[in-house]
Amino acid sequence: MEENLKRINKFLSEAGYCSRREADKLIDAGRVTINGKIPEMGTKISVNDVVQVDGKPIKNTKDAFVYLAFNKPIGIVCTTDTRVEKDNIIDYIKYPKRIFPIGRLDKPSEGLILLTDDGDIVNKILRASNNHDKEYIVTVNKPISQTFIERMSNGVPILDTISKKCTVEKLGTNEFRIILTQGLNRQIRRMCEYLDYEVETLKRVRIMNIKLDMPIGTYRELTEEEFKDLNKLLEDSAKEVTSTEPPRRRKNK
């Protein structure tokens, strides 16, 4: 059926392989085949066609999986257990396909969280050794000192370990930006508490190349460009055993 057909350059773009313009160049150079034959520019394909670039099959992972960016409000719990938590993220979003959050933001926190049904990408993003950035804007209950910035940046003892060195920048009297590559339980709150500060507001504004740009309580699909760049950032990332819901010790801020 016509509605199931897709231009070859769009397919390659949505698969995260390259941009549409770059795909056109590959097609023009004869490096792309459809079912073993070199296509003309603008050729459309169906889900049953086999697409290859330089002899290597291309799988359209973006079509196969769901990737959402969600601006979580305060009060919503990042769990897939809809029987336990009334204000859980799954019931709030009401997405028609089974998805799960990549990590967590605790109930009093707000901001960006990604949701998907792709277990591989979950583990690549969450694994601390992969050093993927997560950026937060935080306000605390009293003026921020230079000592606070330095100690937060260099790591403080929490949860029987020393937090990894991170980037911390003072934005205002009681406000700072922090970029973590780690995901310890309630990490930012615990770091502040150790230094005798109390977090009043905490918002995550970025995960790797994905930025918070939607109204609170709404979600959107990742763009083709975001998905392509995310794949590049994850190319050398290791992954752990796939889990439908990450352990509770991870990713709470």
Side-chain angles (χ1 to χ4, degrees):
M1 295 177 66
E2 178 67 23
E3 59 266 27
N4 292 328
L5 298 180
K6 182 179 298 184
R7 289 185 182 276
I8 183 64
N9 61 354
K10 183 178 181 182
F11 171 86
L12 290 171
S13 175
E14 291 184 351
Y17 187 84
C18 62
S19 69
R20 292 192 192 189
R21 182 175 296 179
E22 291 168 338
D24 286 340
K25 292 179 180 178
L26 292 173
I27 296 166
D28 189 54
R31 295 170 59 188
V32 178
T33 61
I34 301 174
N35 302 324
K37 298 180 180 180
I38 296 175
E40 296 180 357
M41 197 73 68
T43 298
K44 294 183 178 181
I45 62 170
S46 73
V47 294
N48 297 318
D49 289 321
V50 177
V51 178
Q52 295 181 310
V53 177
D54 296 330
K56 297 181 180 179
I58 305 299
K59 180 181 177 182
N60 193 344
T61 54
K62 188 175 188 295
D63 279 352
F65 294 111
V66 174
Y67 302 95
L68 302 181
F70 173 54
N71 188 346
K72 184 191 93 67
I74 293 172
I76 298 302
V77 182
C78 294
T79 180
T80 60
D81 192 345
T82 58
R83 300 166 300 173
V84 175
E85 295 287 355
K86 179 180 66 174
D87 298 319
N88 65 82
I89 194 169
I90 301 303
D91 285 342
Y92 185 91
I93 291 179
K94 292 183 173 62
Y95 195 76
K97 188 176 180 181
R98 182 179 179 273
I99 55 176
F100 40 87
I102 302 179
R104 288 183 174 86
L105 280 172
D106 65 6
K107 194 171 183 178
S109 301
E110 63 180 303
L112 181 63
I113 188 162
L114 305 181
L115 296 101
T116 187
D117 54 354
D118 180 356
D120 283 349
I121 207 169
V122 170
N123 294 309
K124 287 180 179 180
I125 291 175
L126 292 186
R127 193 168 185 179
S129 60
N130 289 332
N131 296 316
H132 297 313
D133 287 354
K134 289 162 285 291
E135 181 177 342
Y136 305 81
I137 303 298
V138 186
T139 60
V140 288
N141 63 327
K142 58 184 180 180
I144 295 168
S145 66
Q146 185 59 34
T147 299
F148 172 85
I149 297 296
E150 291 173 359
R151 296 192 68 184
M152 287 283 285
S153 300
N154 290 319
V156 296
I158 58 171
L159 297 172
D160 301 320
T161 189
I162 305 294
S163 60
K164 283 187 175 183
K165 289 186 177 183
C166 58
T167 300
V168 183
E169 176 191 1
K170 183 176 179 179
L171 299 178
T173 303
N174 292 46
E175 185 180 52
F176 68 94
R177 179 196 320 276
I178 182 168
I179 300 174
L180 299 179
T181 59
Q182 197 173 18
L184 300 176
N185 180 271
R186 296 172 63 89
Q187 180 171 346
I188 295 173
R189 296 180 188 276
R190 292 179 188 273
M191 291 170 72
C192 289
E193 287 169 6
Y194 181 82
L195 299 174
D196 198 29
Y197 283 76
E198 181 180 337
V199 170
E200 293 189 337
T201 66
L202 191 157
K203 177 188 290 188
R204 183 156 61 195
V205 297
R206 180 175 62 85
I207 300 173
M208 300 173 66
N209 64 304
I210 314 299
K211 296 179 180 179
L212 182 69
D213 60 1
M214 72 288 292
I216 193 163
T218 65
Y219 67 84
R220 63 169 176 80
E221 293 185 356
L222 299 192
T223 67
E224 293 179 13
E225 194 66 26
E226 285 174 332
F227 187 72
K228 176 185 172 185
D229 291 344
L230 184 64
N231 273 334
K232 286 182 178 178
L233 291 170
L234 294 174
E235 278 180 355
D236 299 322
S237 296
K239 61 185 180 182
E240 298 172 320
V241 177
T242 299
S243 167
T244 57
E245 185 171 4
R248 186 163 291 276
R249 278 184 63 86
R250 305 194 63 173
K251 297 296 173 184
N252 286 9
K253 298 294 176 292

